[in-house]
Amino acid sequence: MIPEKILHFIGGRQVPSVSGRTFDVADPVTNAVYAQAAAGDTDDVDRAVEAAAQAFAAGPWPGMAARARAKVLGRIADAIESRADELASLETFDTGLPITQARGQAARAAENFRFFADVIVAQHEDAFSSPAQLGYVLRKPAGVAGLITPWNTPFMLESWKLAPALAAGCTVVLKPAEWTPLSASLLPDIMTEAGVPDGAFNVVHGIGEQAGAALVAHPGVPLISFTGETTTGQIIMASAAAHLKGLSMELGGKSPCVIFADADLDLAIDSALFGVFSLNGERCTAGSRILAERSVYDSVVSRLASRAARIRVGSPSDPATEVGALVHQEHYERVMSYVAAGVAEGARLVAGGGRPAGLATGNYLAATVFADVTPSMRIFREEIFGPVVCVTPFGSQEEAVSLANDTRYGLAAYIWTSDLRRAHRVASAVEAGMTWVNSHNVRDLRTPFGGIKASGLGHEGGQHSIDFYTQSRIVHVALGDTHVPRFGA
Ligand code: NAD
């Protein structure tokens, strides 16, 4: 059931905004407004932070044994799994992601909670001993964590922050993306049913520049975990500086997919297509610049073009759909403006570039492939975040690396070759926080996730997430006689 009203969740209760204000939420297939969501601002954020701070100070959540918290996280995972169909269909309705892929994201959200339940139970700390001194680390949850998330895979990314923050013992205020607030409206019931204490989990909906900015500026929130655009990240860093907040920044990308002539081309083409066209191309780690060695370049271009032309674009709720509707009319127009820029700058359009036949309304774009893209073109340099891929030839390994690194971003990279030595050399030379060799983006949740350069700051994933959401403090204990210089004696 699609609700007509979406409310905040503060201190265990669903509430409207203090101001009574709401904002419109539309679906990407009709672009019609389907709900009014509470539009939070400073007053609502103040209330949510107060509830979270109270839950942090009075407990029980931060002081619970790891096993007890882990049990609650396990129940959250169970509750997500029991609602997986509903969750996937709400997500598909609100984001335009194909239903099969939304189901995958729902399963991954549950897995995030299970995984961090395991991490926290296995958590151990360092101790340092010498004859004179014993040092041991005490790890404390950092306090109220502010979590700000984007619209591309909303529920999954919310879970990616909520699971480690709650596992670490923080209490949280979540600010979901305003274009896609729907799936987060399932969280209050899920959290309450699982036994998360009132006030430990809070949601404030609203526009980024209002609700998000108020959360970042709040002195009672020592940590902000943000996923979104690089320019928003820069604004957040500037505002957070006033309170020296801990920041985790997962930002934009323009990741290269480098295909050498000796690669398994069948697999490389499958992976390149999946990497950029899955999740409607609205994927931070999309391999949106395909670099192909000149001897296979023509064949790579024609294979990408003919496969892209057959990609099924259509209703997000149809299980046969491979690319659905882009999230919002404004984003659709932005992506279309990049298609126009590619054509205007002289790139060769070999597939897509417009609406697929039979889809006269809705935010639909056929899978689009541009060949002969040069590094000076905007479509090579800027993140498009839609079903659009650039293909560029290279002549040597050095040129491949230099093209791969010719971007302000450094999130992911994909390398396809059967030469093991070259694979390692290129993986080391490519400026990316995460590189995959002969694979698309397959995550091991223990590994560090994050980008370098303009793609982010800090890493989450496994222990890295726990490090972010906790403070580690060292205690030094003298074991013998302490030699003290006697000033003024
Ligand atoms: P966005 O930056 O516009 O918004 C992200 C969130 O920030 C939203 O909740 C928004 O309301 C909030 N926000 C906006 N302005 C704010 C402000 N001044 N203060 C505080 N909060 C504010 O990003 P988007 O358009 O929702 O998402 C797409 C972007 O996210 C792309 O650039 C994509 O690459 C990136 N992304 C990165 C990762 C990653 O892990 N690196 C993952 C997914 C998406």
Side-chain angles (χ1 to χ4, degrees), residues 110-411:
E111 177 56 20
N112 284 339
F113 282 98
R114 272 195 221 297
F115 171 76
F116 281 106
D118 291 343
V119 169
I120 203 71
V121 168
Q123 178 76 34
H124 59 274
E125 301 308 338
D126 287 332
F128 307 83
S129 77
S130 72
Q133 205 181 47
L134 171 68
Y136 61 90
V137 171
L138 282 179
R139 192 176 285 273
K140 305 275 188 186
V144 178
L147 314 177
I148 302 179
T149 47
W151 46 256
N152 60 323
T153 49
F155 195 89
M156 197 288 285
L157 283 172
E158 288 152 15
S159 74
W160 177 240
K161 297 187 189 300
L162 287 168
L166 291 171
C170 290
T171 58
V172 303
V173 178
L174 168 70
K175 208 303 278 174
E178 56 266 46
W179 283 351
T180 55
L182 184 57
S183 52
S185 67
L186 293 180
L187 279 168
D189 279 356
I190 289 173
M191 294 290 173
T192 307
E193 191 179 305
V196 176
D198 288 352
F201 163 76
N202 305 276
V203 184
V204 175
H205 289 284
I207 307 302
E209 292 78 1
Q210 296 158 15
L215 189 56
V216 174
H218 198 295
V221 180
L223 290 184
I224 297 287
S225 175
F226 169 76
T227 300
E229 279 189 28
T230 297
T231 46
T232 316
Q234 289 169 317
I235 294 168
I236 288 177
M237 283 185 78
S239 165
H243 300 288
L244 288 174
K245 296 193 181 205
L247 293 175
S248 172
M249 294 273 147
E250 306 282 5
L251 310 176
K254 190 77 186 176
S255 302
C257 169
V258 186
I259 303 179
F260 287 95
D262 63 2
D264 176 338
L265 284 186
D266 290 343
L267 209 56
I269 300 277
D270 284 348
S271 171
L273 288 162
F274 179 78
V276 73
F277 294 123
S278 56
L279 304 180
N280 295 347
E282 297 162 331
R283 179 178 207 136
C284 56
T285 51
S288 52
R289 292 182 299 139
I290 296 175
L291 310 176
E293 192 161 0
R294 201 158 263 123
S295 58
V296 292
Y297 177 73
D298 287 341
S299 141
V300 166
V301 168
S302 73
R303 290 172 73 177
L304 288 170
S306 64
R307 287 277 297 280
R310 288 201 296 274
I311 287 179
R312 287 184 292 268
V313 182
S315 166
S317 59
D318 180 346
T321 291
E322 292 168 321
V323 171
L326 303 193
V327 67
H328 193 275
Q329 209 160 8
E330 198 179 305
H331 181 60
Y332 180 70
E333 278 155 21
R334 184 163 172 256
V335 172
M336 294 305 272
S337 77
Y338 276 109
V339 174
V343 172
E345 287 182 306
R348 182 158 57 96
L349 182 64
V350 294
R355 276 186 182 281
L359 294 168
T361 58
N363 306 329
Y364 293 107
L365 169 61
T368 297
V369 182
F370 279 109
D372 307 346
V373 177
T374 62
S376 63
M377 295 179 185
R378 281 181 61 208
I379 55 170
F380 186 95
R381 313 201 73 76
E382 297 174 24
E383 184 182 43
I384 301 174
F385 221 55
V388 181
V389 71
C390 303
V391 201
T392 304
F394 67 83
S396 64
Q397 182 177 310
E398 291 66 35
E399 195 188 358
V401 169
S402 134
L403 284 168
N405 292 343
D406 192 0
T407 168
R408 67 196 285 245
Y409 295 109
L411 190 55

